[in-house]
Structure formats: structure tokens, C-alpha cells
Amino acid sequence: MADHDGHRPDLAAMLQPLTRALIAAELPVLARHGISMWGYVVLNALDGNPAGTQGALAQAIGADKTRIIAILDELQLMGLISRERDPADRRARLLSITRAGRELRLAVRAEIQANENRVLTRLPAADRQAFLRAAAALSALPAEEFTRTA
Amino acid sequence: MADHDGHRPDLAAMLQPLTRALIAAELPVLARHGISMWGYVVLNALDGNPAGTQGALAQAIGADKTRIIAILDELQLMGLISRERDPADRRARLLSITRAGRELRLAVRAEIQANENRVLTRLPAADRQAFLRAAAALSALPAEEFTRTA
DNA sequence: TATTGTTATACTCTATAACTATA
DNA sequence: TATAGTTATAGAGTATAACAATA
């Protein structure tokens, strides 16, 4: 959407409030299921990628290794993940999602995406598909791609 | 981009790292021009909307009124905004962008959007246009639209 | 000596509450 | 008494540094 002078708002300036609003919409869903946002992020990262270490998980979700510890404590206590010492390296702890964790993840995702899809109906169908494609493509780019010229 | 089970990642989960990367790419540009990110946000809000009060500005950019004070102090000291007492209500202070402020804003915006456009070339041209259209349309929605069913 | 995970500490950002000057 | 702006305080979230166990 062009400015009066033919320019557009910065992409970041458009996406930041949008992302904030989407996250705000997730919070009631997550609260209803008794899980935190970071807990949900961890379940998403572990589903399909079991038996990684805590360090690998932290890196995968872009979090500090110290930040995920309390989250893992909680998920383990709720029976949503397993966290076993690696017999081959007794310093490490291998993480995987449990059946209950997977079920919770899928239930939460269904609700979140139902709401997202409702919002997306505000877009023409063609733009909706292109938007999702573009978001996936851009979010898959490595961080260096964004700071090439800076 | 569909999952192995036919599902997609949450929209918020895709947009958050993308937005973070775009903001990270802005920081060196802003630093080179000696301005903070919030300072740039304020200049963007004031350009074309002069003579508003601080409260109105805070609301417009979704910030607390206490949060913008230090930013306005800095912008005023740099000569990028003017901040005059309202003769009709001497409690209020009327804000407007100066010529220098407008020039700085445009210079920063040109650099930021040049980088954004470079990143966007990773998308097919049709998707690129649709993505910008969709981002503008969704970011223009009122916050209530996102939490209808929650 | 290096590494995994943990705990303790400090820092940044933001929100809340209390204050002033005008109305 | 209510409001615009300011200042001071407190809270949440995150990062940094120090530590224990194992390699």
C-alpha cells in the first residue's frame, strides 16, 4: 500500500504490530491449555526432531541455553516431554516429545491456526496463498541474508 | 510451505523471526545516522501529522506516554523535531518534525527499504507484490480482529 | 582443558505509581 | 477535580558470568 508520495511503510514497521497481534491472540489459547508460549515453541521444535540435546534445541529455536531450562522443567513435570541422560555422554540430556505432548501440540495448533485462517480471510484468496508462501520462504532464509549490505 | 502432514507452521512462528531479522538489519543503518529505532518510529509518525500532542503520538505508535519522553528529548536536542507549548493549553506540547528531521527520515527510509527490497528479490515478483499488499492490509486491521474467537 | 547443563547475577526494556503545572 | 507531561520505582524478560559434572 503506497504512501501519498509513492512510497510504502517499512516492511518491519508493518510486520511488527501484525506479529504482536497474532501472538496476543495465541495467549488465551495457550492459557486454556495450561502451557506457556515458549513451552509451545519447544513442543513444536521437538515434534519430528526427537532425541536432540538441550543445546541443540536452544539453537534451533534461537534461544539462550539458560532460557529453556525452566521451560523444560515445566514440560517434563507436565509429562509433555521426556528428558533422559545420554548413556554415551552422561553430561547431555536427550529430549523427546511424549504422546501427550504431541496431542497437546496438535490441539493448540488447530486452535491457533483456525484463528489465523479466520484473519486471513480478510485477504483475497490469491494474496492469502502468496502471503503464506512468502512468509515461509522469507522465514527460512538464514539471518545473514538480511544484513548483507545492512 | 506445508508440513509433512499437510499442515503449515503457525503464521506467528514464521513472522516473528522474520521481523526480528528485519529489525536487526535496521540497527546498523540507524546507528550510522545517530538515531534510535524508537526515534525513527517517532519521525515516521510525525511526518505528515504535525502539531499533535505527546499523548496523541504515544497512542499512535502504541507506546506508553512515559516511554517516549526520553526519545523526544533526544530528537529535540538533535533538532529533528520541534516541541512547543500549546498557547491554548499550556500543559500540552505540540510536536512537529523539522526539515532536518524529514531529511533524516527519508535518508534512513531509503537505506532500510533498499535492503528490504534486496531481500524481497528472493521471492517471485508476483508473490513479492502480494506479500507487501497483504502485510499492509493485515497491519491495518484493528487489534480486535485478531482476538475475535481467540 | 573443554563441554553440557545449571544456578546466580546484572542488565534492558517496559509498565505502574507518584508528582508538577496547568486547566 | 481532572488532565498533559514528567520523574521515580518496580517488574518481566533476557543476557552474562560463575559453577558442577563429565568428557
Side-chain angles (χ1 to χ4, degrees):
Chain A
M1 220 145 281
D3 253 354
H4 60 287
D5 58 354
H7 287 274
R8 59 169 175 82
D10 295 337
L11 187 51
M14 294 190 285
L15 293 184
Q16 189 170 47
L18 171 57
T19 304
R20 275 180 184 279
L22 287 170
I23 289 174
E26 291 188 2
L27 295 181
V29 177
L30 294 165
R32 212 152 46 226
H33 287 274
I35 194 177
S36 69
M37 183 167 58
W38 281 108
Y40 177 60
V41 169
V42 167
L43 291 185
N44 278 325
L46 288 182
D47 202 0
N49 304 306
T53 66
Q54 294 187 190
L57 172 65
Q59 190 171 17
I61 64 176
D64 195 89
K65 63 176 179 174
T66 64
R67 232 171 69 190
I68 63 171
I69 292 177
I71 303 159
L72 295 177
D73 290 345
E74 191 194 18
L75 291 175
Q76 187 178 20
L77 198 69
M78 294 172 73
L80 303 176
I81 63 168
S82 80
R83 199 185 190 188
E84 302 163 1
R85 292 229 168 263
D86 183 351
D89 181 349
R90 297 180 38 74
R91 295 172 302 181
R93 310 182 75 169
L94 300 179
L95 305 172
S96 57
I97 193 169
T98 63
R99 167 177 284 274
R102 186 171 293 111
E103 284 168 3
L104 180 61
R105 181 213 167 201
L106 293 178
V108 171
R109 185 176 72 175
E111 284 189 50
I112 286 176
Q113 297 199 5
N115 185 56
E116 288 179 349
N117 289 336
R118 184 184 55 77
V119 174
L120 288 171
T121 59
R122 292 314 197 91
L123 301 175
D127 280 10
R128 185 160 57 230
Q129 294 308 319
F131 182 67
L132 288 171
R133 255 199 318 274
L138 292 175
S139 69
L141 292 176
E144 307 85 65
E145 288 293 328
F146 292 87
T147 47
R148 196 54 68 77
T149 71
Chain B
M1 217 148 282
D3 253 352
H4 59 288
D5 57 355
H7 287 272
R8 59 168 176 83
D10 295 337
L11 186 51
M14 294 190 285
L15 293 184
Q16 189 169 46
L18 171 58
T19 304
R20 275 181 184 278
L22 288 170
I23 289 174
E26 291 188 2
L27 294 181
V29 177
L30 294 165
R32 212 151 49 224
H33 288 274
I35 194 176
S36 69
M37 182 168 59
W38 281 109
Y40 177 59
V41 170
V42 167
L43 290 184
N44 278 325
L46 287 183
D47 203 0
N49 304 306
T53 66
Q54 295 188 189
L57 171 66
Q59 190 171 17
I61 65 177
D64 194 271
K65 63 175 179 175
T66 65
R67 231 171 68 191
I68 64 172
I69 292 177
I71 304 159
L72 295 176
D73 290 344
E74 192 194 16
L75 292 175
Q76 186 178 20
L77 197 70
M78 295 172 73
L80 303 176
I81 63 168
S82 79
R83 198 185 190 188
E84 303 163 0
R85 292 227 169 264
D86 183 351
D89 182 348
R90 296 178 40 71
R91 295 171 303 182
R93 310 183 75 169
L94 300 179
L95 305 172
S96 56
I97 192 169
T98 65
R99 169 178 282 275
R102 187 171 293 109
E103 284 168 3
L104 180 61
R105 182 214 167 200
L106 294 178
V108 171
R109 186 177 69 175
E111 284 189 49
I112 286 175
Q113 296 198 6
N115 186 56
E116 289 180 349
N117 289 336
R118 184 185 55 77
V119 173
L120 288 170
T121 60
R122 292 314 198 91
L123 301 176
D127 281 9
R128 185 159 58 232
Q129 295 308 319
F131 182 67
L132 287 172
R133 256 199 317 275
L138 293 175
S139 69
L141 292 177
E144 307 85 65
E145 288 293 328
F146 293 87
T147 47
R148 198 52 69 75
T149 70

mmCIF file of all heavy atoms in Angstrom, chain A residues 53-55 65-66 83 91 93, chain C residues 2-8 14:
data_model
loop_
_atom_site.group_PDB
_atom_site.id
_atom_site.type_symbol
_atom_site.label_atom_id
_atom_site.label_comp_id
_atom_site.label_asym_id
_atom_site.label_seq_id
_atom_site.Cartn_x
_atom_site.Cartn_y
_atom_site.Cartn_z
ATOM 1 N N THR A 53 19.799 -32.715 22.008
ATOM 2 C CA THR A 53 20.229 -32.240 23.318
ATOM 3 C C THR A 53 19.622 -30.860 23.597
ATOM 4 O O THR A 53 19.052 -30.227 22.720
ATOM 5 C CB THR A 53 21.761 -32.106 23.373
ATOM 6 O OG1 THR A 53 22.160 -31.073 22.471
ATOM 7 C CG2 THR A 53 22.431 -33.409 22.979
ATOM 8 N N GLN A 54 19.798 -30.390 24.817
ATOM 9 C CA GLN A 54 19.244 -29.095 25.176
ATOM 10 C C GLN A 54 19.921 -27.967 24.400
ATOM 11 O O GLN A 54 19.264 -27.014 23.987
ATOM 12 C CB GLN A 54 19.383 -28.855 26.686
ATOM 13 C CG GLN A 54 18.551 -29.815 27.502
ATOM 14 C CD GLN A 54 18.534 -29.498 28.987
ATOM 15 O OE1 GLN A 54 18.046 -30.290 29.773
ATOM 16 N NE2 GLN A 54 19.055 -28.351 29.368
ATOM 17 N N GLY A 55 21.222 -28.122 24.229
ATOM 18 C CA GLY A 55 21.932 -27.099 23.463
ATOM 19 C C GLY A 55 21.439 -27.021 22.033
ATOM 20 O O GLY A 55 21.254 -25.917 21.493
ATOM 21 N N LYS A 65 20.721 -21.044 25.972
ATOM 22 C CA LYS A 65 20.599 -22.357 26.631
ATOM 23 C C LYS A 65 20.088 -22.222 28.058
ATOM 24 O O LYS A 65 19.436 -23.122 28.578
ATOM 25 C CB LYS A 65 21.951 -23.073 26.631
ATOM 26 C CG LYS A 65 23.009 -22.324 27.420
ATOM 27 C CD LYS A 65 24.326 -23.086 27.512
ATOM 28 C CE LYS A 65 25.351 -22.273 28.300
ATOM 29 N NZ LYS A 65 26.592 -23.001 28.559
ATOM 30 N N THR A 66 20.349 -21.080 28.687
ATOM 31 C CA THR A 66 19.870 -20.899 30.062
ATOM 32 C C THR A 66 18.380 -20.567 30.099
ATOM 33 O O THR A 66 17.746 -20.739 31.136
ATOM 34 C CB THR A 66 20.622 -19.755 30.761
ATOM 35 O OG1 THR A 66 20.334 -18.525 30.097
ATOM 36 C CG2 THR A 66 22.111 -19.994 30.742
ATOM 37 N N ARG A 83 13.195 -36.560 29.077
ATOM 38 C CA ARG A 83 14.480 -35.871 29.223
ATOM 39 C C ARG A 83 15.423 -36.841 29.904
ATOM 40 O O ARG A 83 15.565 -36.838 31.119
ATOM 41 C CB ARG A 83 14.216 -34.655 30.107
ATOM 42 C CG ARG A 83 15.243 -33.522 30.076
ATOM 43 C CD ARG A 83 14.791 -32.547 31.129
ATOM 44 N NE ARG A 83 15.456 -31.269 31.152
ATOM 45 C CZ ARG A 83 15.269 -30.376 32.112
ATOM 46 N NH1 ARG A 83 14.431 -30.634 33.104
ATOM 47 N NH2 ARG A 83 15.920 -29.227 32.096
ATOM 48 N N ARG A 91 26.893 -36.171 30.376
ATOM 49 C CA ARG A 91 26.618 -34.753 30.632
ATOM 50 C C ARG A 91 25.330 -34.326 29.938
ATOM 51 O O ARG A 91 24.585 -33.489 30.446
ATOM 52 C CB ARG A 91 27.758 -33.882 30.071
ATOM 53 C CG ARG A 91 29.087 -34.061 30.730
ATOM 54 C CD ARG A 91 30.145 -33.316 29.969
ATOM 55 N NE ARG A 91 30.227 -33.750 28.574
ATOM 56 C CZ ARG A 91 31.080 -33.264 27.693
ATOM 57 N NH1 ARG A 91 31.919 -32.302 28.036
ATOM 58 N NH2 ARG A 91 31.108 -33.725 26.478
ATOM 59 N N ARG A 93 21.584 -34.371 27.993
ATOM 60 C CA ARG A 93 20.243 -34.894 28.242
ATOM 61 C C ARG A 93 19.484 -34.891 26.923
ATOM 62 O O ARG A 93 19.373 -33.871 26.252
ATOM 63 C CB ARG A 93 19.522 -34.043 29.279
ATOM 64 C CG ARG A 93 20.366 -33.820 30.533
ATOM 65 C CD ARG A 93 19.635 -33.017 31.587
ATOM 66 N NE ARG A 93 18.624 -33.814 32.269
ATOM 67 C CZ ARG A 93 17.996 -33.397 33.373
ATOM 68 N NH1 ARG A 93 18.271 -32.213 33.883
ATOM 69 N NH2 ARG A 93 17.088 -34.162 33.961
ATOM 70 P P DA C 2 40.762 -25.232 26.750
ATOM 71 O OP1 DA C 2 41.182 -24.664 25.454
ATOM 72 O OP2 DA C 2 40.414 -24.337 27.873
ATOM 73 O "O5'" DA C 2 39.524 -26.204 26.467
ATOM 74 C "C5'" DA C 2 39.683 -27.264 25.535
ATOM 75 C "C4'" DA C 2 38.354 -27.971 25.313
ATOM 76 O "O4'" DA C 2 38.031 -28.748 26.501
ATOM 77 C "C3'" DA C 2 37.167 -27.035 25.085
ATOM 78 O "O3'" DA C 2 36.309 -27.622 24.118
ATOM 79 C "C2'" DA C 2 36.521 -26.934 26.462
ATOM 80 C "C1'" DA C 2 36.768 -28.338 27.010
ATOM 81 N N9 DA C 2 36.862 -28.412 28.473
ATOM 82 C C8 DA C 2 37.607 -27.629 29.303
ATOM 83 N N7 DA C 2 37.501 -27.939 30.570
ATOM 84 C C5 DA C 2 36.630 -29.009 30.577
ATOM 85 C C6 DA C 2 36.101 -29.791 31.616
ATOM 86 N N6 DA C 2 36.398 -29.624 32.898
ATOM 87 N N1 DA C 2 35.236 -30.776 31.273
ATOM 88 C C2 DA C 2 34.927 -30.957 29.975
ATOM 89 N N3 DA C 2 35.371 -30.285 28.914
ATOM 90 C C4 DA C 2 36.218 -29.315 29.282
ATOM 91 P P DT C 3 34.984 -26.885 23.664
ATOM 92 O OP1 DT C 3 34.829 -27.136 22.212
ATOM 93 O OP2 DT C 3 35.030 -25.512 24.189
ATOM 94 O "O5'" DT C 3 33.841 -27.680 24.420
ATOM 95 C "C5'" DT C 3 33.696 -29.069 24.181
ATOM 96 C "C4'" DT C 3 32.519 -29.605 24.985
ATOM 97 O "O4'" DT C 3 32.861 -29.635 26.394
ATOM 98 C "C3'" DT C 3 31.245 -28.767 24.884
ATOM 99 O "O3'" DT C 3 30.145 -29.640 24.746
ATOM 100 C "C2'" DT C 3 31.209 -28.019 26.205
ATOM 101 C "C1'" DT C 3 31.809 -29.068 27.132
ATOM 102 N N1 DT C 3 32.384 -28.524 28.391
ATOM 103 C C2 DT C 3 32.129 -29.185 29.560
ATOM 104 O O2 DT C 3 31.452 -30.197 29.629
ATOM 105 N N3 DT C 3 32.691 -28.617 30.673
ATOM 106 C C4 DT C 3 33.474 -27.472 30.722
ATOM 107 O O4 DT C 3 33.931 -27.054 31.777
ATOM 108 C C5 DT C 3 33.696 -26.823 29.452
ATOM 109 C C7 DT C 3 34.516 -25.569 29.375
ATOM 110 C C6 DT C 3 33.139 -27.383 28.361
ATOM 111 P P DT C 4 28.705 -29.141 24.285
ATOM 112 O OP1 DT C 4 28.347 -29.859 23.063
ATOM 113 O OP2 DT C 4 28.774 -27.675 24.309
ATOM 114 O "O5'" DT C 4 27.735 -29.600 25.447
ATOM 115 C "C5'" DT C 4 27.531 -30.981 25.716
ATOM 116 C "C4'" DT C 4 26.711 -31.116 26.987
ATOM 117 O "O4'" DT C 4 27.531 -30.689 28.080
ATOM 118 C "C3'" DT C 4 25.469 -30.232 27.002
ATOM 119 O "O3'" DT C 4 24.312 -31.038 27.233
ATOM 120 C "C2'" DT C 4 25.689 -29.228 28.127
ATOM 121 C "C1'" DT C 4 26.774 -29.901 28.969
ATOM 122 N N1 DT C 4 27.715 -28.925 29.617
ATOM 123 C C2 DT C 4 27.973 -29.052 30.962
ATOM 124 O O2 DT C 4 27.482 -29.903 31.661
ATOM 125 N N3 DT C 4 28.855 -28.115 31.457
ATOM 126 C C4 DT C 4 29.478 -27.100 30.750
ATOM 127 O O4 DT C 4 30.245 -26.327 31.305
ATOM 128 C C5 DT C 4 29.152 -27.031 29.360
ATOM 129 C C7 DT C 4 29.766 -25.949 28.507
ATOM 130 C C6 DT C 4 28.295 -27.930 28.854
ATOM 131 P P DG C 5 22.830 -30.439 27.062
ATOM 132 O OP1 DG C 5 21.902 -31.528 26.751
ATOM 133 O OP2 DG C 5 22.941 -29.277 26.162
ATOM 134 O "O5'" DG C 5 22.507 -29.908 28.533
ATOM 135 C "C5'" DG C 5 22.466 -30.847 29.587
ATOM 136 C "C4'" DG C 5 22.681 -30.153 30.912
ATOM 137 O "O4'" DG C 5 23.893 -29.367 30.858
ATOM 138 C "C3'" DG C 5 21.585 -29.171 31.338
ATOM 139 O "O3'" DG C 5 20.878 -29.723 32.440
ATOM 140 C "C2'" DG C 5 22.319 -27.895 31.704
ATOM 141 C "C1'" DG C 5 23.761 -28.342 31.817
ATOM 142 N N9 DG C 5 24.751 -27.305 31.550
ATOM 143 C C8 DG C 5 25.044 -26.706 30.352
ATOM 144 N N7 DG C 5 25.998 -25.798 30.444
ATOM 145 C C5 DG C 5 26.337 -25.806 31.784
ATOM 146 C C6 DG C 5 27.304 -25.035 32.487
ATOM 147 O O6 DG C 5 28.069 -24.173 32.033
ATOM 148 N N1 DG C 5 27.335 -25.364 33.838
ATOM 149 C C2 DG C 5 26.522 -26.308 34.440
ATOM 150 N N2 DG C 5 26.689 -26.495 35.733
ATOM 151 N N3 DG C 5 25.627 -27.037 33.796
ATOM 152 C C4 DG C 5 25.584 -26.734 32.480
ATOM 153 P P DT C 6 19.587 -28.954 33.022
ATOM 154 O OP1 DT C 6 18.775 -29.964 33.749
ATOM 155 O OP2 DT C 6 18.992 -28.155 31.957
ATOM 156 O "O5'" DT C 6 20.214 -27.964 34.106
ATOM 157 C "C5'" DT C 6 20.896 -28.517 35.223
ATOM 158 C "C4'" DT C 6 21.547 -27.420 36.052
ATOM 159 O "O4'" DT C 6 22.521 -26.718 35.250
ATOM 160 C "C3'" DT C 6 20.596 -26.332 36.563
ATOM 161 O "O3'" DT C 6 20.320 -26.598 37.935
ATOM 162 C "C2'" DT C 6 21.366 -25.020 36.368
ATOM 163 C "C1'" DT C 6 22.724 -25.463 35.859
ATOM 164 N N1 DT C 6 23.354 -24.593 34.837
ATOM 165 C C2 DT C 6 24.357 -23.726 35.226
ATOM 166 O O2 DT C 6 24.748 -23.627 36.366
ATOM 167 N N3 DT C 6 24.895 -22.978 34.205
ATOM 168 C C4 DT C 6 24.536 -23.012 32.864
ATOM 169 O O4 DT C 6 25.086 -22.307 32.042
ATOM 170 C C5 DT C 6 23.481 -23.936 32.536
ATOM 171 C C7 DT C 6 23.006 -24.059 31.118
ATOM 172 C C6 DT C 6 22.943 -24.674 33.524
ATOM 173 P P DT C 7 19.220 -25.707 38.698
ATOM 174 O OP1 DT C 7 18.796 -26.481 39.873
ATOM 175 O OP2 DT C 7 18.261 -25.207 37.709
ATOM 176 O "O5'" DT C 7 20.090 -24.456 39.215
ATOM 177 C "C5'" DT C 7 21.191 -24.684 40.075
ATOM 178 C "C4'" DT C 7 21.969 -23.395 40.292
ATOM 179 O "O4'" DT C 7 22.522 -22.940 39.038
ATOM 180 C "C3'" DT C 7 21.137 -22.222 40.849
ATOM 181 O "O3'" DT C 7 21.790 -21.762 42.020
ATOM 182 C "C2'" DT C 7 21.169 -21.181 39.727
ATOM 183 C "C1'" DT C 7 22.449 -21.535 39.002
ATOM 184 N N1 DT C 7 22.498 -21.133 37.571
ATOM 185 C C2 DT C 7 23.469 -20.255 37.155
ATOM 186 O O2 DT C 7 24.298 -19.775 37.902
ATOM 187 N N3 DT C 7 23.434 -19.964 35.818
ATOM 188 C C4 DT C 7 22.550 -20.458 34.875
ATOM 189 O O4 DT C 7 22.623 -20.121 33.700
ATOM 190 C C5 DT C 7 21.563 -21.370 35.382
ATOM 191 C C7 DT C 7 20.555 -21.961 34.448
ATOM 192 C C6 DT C 7 21.579 -21.658 36.688
ATOM 193 P P DA C 8 21.076 -20.608 42.890
ATOM 194 O OP1 DA C 8 21.373 -20.910 44.294
ATOM 195 O OP2 DA C 8 19.686 -20.419 42.440
ATOM 196 O "O5'" DA C 8 21.919 -19.329 42.454
ATOM 197 C "C5'" DA C 8 23.335 -19.407 42.453
ATOM 198 C "C4'" DA C 8 23.943 -18.060 42.066
ATOM 199 O "O4'" DA C 8 23.926 -17.921 40.625
ATOM 200 C "C3'" DA C 8 23.227 -16.822 42.617
ATOM 201 O "O3'" DA C 8 24.213 -15.861 42.982
ATOM 202 C "C2'" DA C 8 22.372 -16.360 41.442
ATOM 203 C "C1'" DA C 8 23.268 -16.714 40.268
ATOM 204 N N9 DA C 8 22.568 -16.973 39.016
ATOM 205 C C8 DA C 8 21.471 -17.750 38.820
ATOM 206 N N7 DA C 8 21.073 -17.809 37.565
ATOM 207 C C5 DA C 8 21.980 -17.015 36.896
ATOM 208 C C6 DA C 8 22.117 -16.659 35.541
ATOM 209 N N6 DA C 8 21.299 -17.088 34.585
ATOM 210 N N1 DA C 8 23.141 -15.838 35.202
ATOM 211 C C2 DA C 8 23.968 -15.411 36.163
ATOM 212 N N3 DA C 8 23.941 -15.673 37.471
ATOM 213 C C4 DA C 8 22.915 -16.490 37.771
ATOM 214 P P DT C 14 10.773 -1.563 24.838
ATOM 215 O OP1 DT C 14 10.197 -2.176 23.633
ATOM 216 O OP2 DT C 14 11.386 -0.215 24.798
ATOM 217 O "O5'" DT C 14 9.659 -1.577 25.973
ATOM 218 C "C5'" DT C 14 9.134 -2.823 26.404
ATOM 219 C "C4'" DT C 14 8.372 -2.653 27.693
ATOM 220 O "O4'" DT C 14 9.279 -2.338 28.755
ATOM 221 C "C3'" DT C 14 7.343 -1.532 27.679
ATOM 222 O "O3'" DT C 14 6.047 -2.113 27.593
ATOM 223 C "C2'" DT C 14 7.571 -0.779 28.997
ATOM 224 C "C1'" DT C 14 8.553 -1.655 29.746
ATOM 225 N N1 DT C 14 9.543 -0.919 30.593
ATOM 226 C C2 DT C 14 9.499 -1.070 31.948
ATOM 227 O O2 DT C 14 8.690 -1.775 32.507
ATOM 228 N N3 DT C 14 10.449 -0.355 32.643
ATOM 229 C C4 DT C 14 11.418 0.484 32.102
ATOM 230 O O4 DT C 14 12.219 1.071 32.806
ATOM 231 C C5 DT C 14 11.400 0.594 30.662
ATOM 232 C C7 DT C 14 12.392 1.477 29.958
ATOM 233 C C6 DT C 14 10.472 -0.098 29.982
#
